[in-house]
Amino acid sequence: MKVTTSRFGTIDVSEDEIVYFEEGLLGFGEYHRYVILNASEKNTPFRWLQCLDEGNLAFVIIEPLNFMFEYDLDVSDADQEFVGLTKSEDAIIYTIVSIPSNPQNMTANLQGPLLINAINRKGRQIISSNPRHSIKTKILEQMQIRARKIQELNKSLNPKEKGE
């Protein structure tokens, strides 16, 4: 199927690439069909969630573990059942990114992540009850924390780097 978008021009989307959000996304309940597109830059953790029902609607998304060291998300049985998840490894989690005029201050919505079943391509925007999940988590700040923790972990696994 060919879809005309404002950001990517006309794109060709196959049926097996479509992610279906039966309830839509918060604030955009009337739009249900989306496709996940790679960003134009290579080696970036960011993707685009392009709406197929409205070519002007697209969201920048990112998998939380691409910028955070850990993301403790409890997915309810009802949410798993809604998207047809039977195995946790079939779940893909994205967060929607907000990019203000100064991109250094971009944030991710950890409180309203997107849950997608990789097998049947059914999705749902869920609500996290974890009080540590903010709707405006600073991505670059979290990337720095993640990098430090990985460095510390590597040092503890490789004592020669400590000078021992």
Side-chain angles (χ1 to χ4, degrees):
M1 117 177 29
K2 296 217 180 280
V3 179
T4 303
T5 71
S6 58
R7 284 175 183 77
F8 307 103
T10 301
I11 58 173
D12 198 16
V13 179
S14 66
E15 287 294 321
D16 63 341
E17 293 177 297
I18 296 173
V19 178
Y20 187 74
F21 289 89
E22 185 176 317
E23 302 166 321
L25 302 179
L26 296 175
F28 301 92
E30 66 273 26
Y31 304 117
H32 305 280
R33 297 176 315 138
Y34 293 82
V35 65
I36 297 171
L37 302 172
N38 290 325
S40 57
E41 302 85 32
K42 300 260 188 232
N43 300 320
T44 179
F46 299 100
R47 305 281 179 263
W48 284 94
L49 183 67
Q50 174 64 56
C51 181
L52 301 177
D53 303 315
E54 169 52 64
N56 293 320
L57 183 61
F59 301 93
V60 176
I61 58 174
I62 188 171
E63 292 181 71
L65 293 179
N66 280 335
F67 70 93
M68 298 182 70
F69 188 72
E70 61 185 345
Y71 180 55
D72 299 324
L73 180 65
D74 288 326
V75 179
S76 72
D77 290 344
D79 287 332
Q80 290 179 51
E81 187 176 313
F82 187 86
V83 299
L85 271 177
T86 56
K87 297 185 289 188
S88 60
E89 57 266 20
D90 294 336
I92 303 170
I93 303 290
Y94 285 104
T95 58
I96 295 177
V97 176
S98 294
I99 304 175
S101 55
N102 179 355
Q104 298 289 323
N105 295 324
M106 71 179 139
T107 60
N109 179 355
L110 298 182
Q111 209 168 50
L114 307 176
L115 170 66
I116 299 170
N117 180 332
I119 303 303
N120 67 11
R121 311 292 291 172
K122 190 171 181 185
R124 184 181 221 184
Q125 186 167 18
I126 63 176
I127 303 299
S128 171
S129 59
N130 188 327
R132 293 180 298 158
H133 294 165
S134 166
I135 60 171
K136 293 187 178 243
T137 301
K138 292 192 173 190
I139 293 174
L140 295 180
E141 190 176 285
Q142 288 298 316
M143 283 181 163
Q144 291 171 342
I145 292 169
R146 179 179 185 262
R148 279 195 303 272
K149 286 187 176 185
I150 289 172
Q151 222 173 21
E152 291 168 8
L153 185 61
N154 284 338
K155 282 182 182 177
S156 70
L157 295 174
N158 299 311
K160 289 181 182 179
E161 290 182 18
K162 291 185 199 175
E164 295 177 12

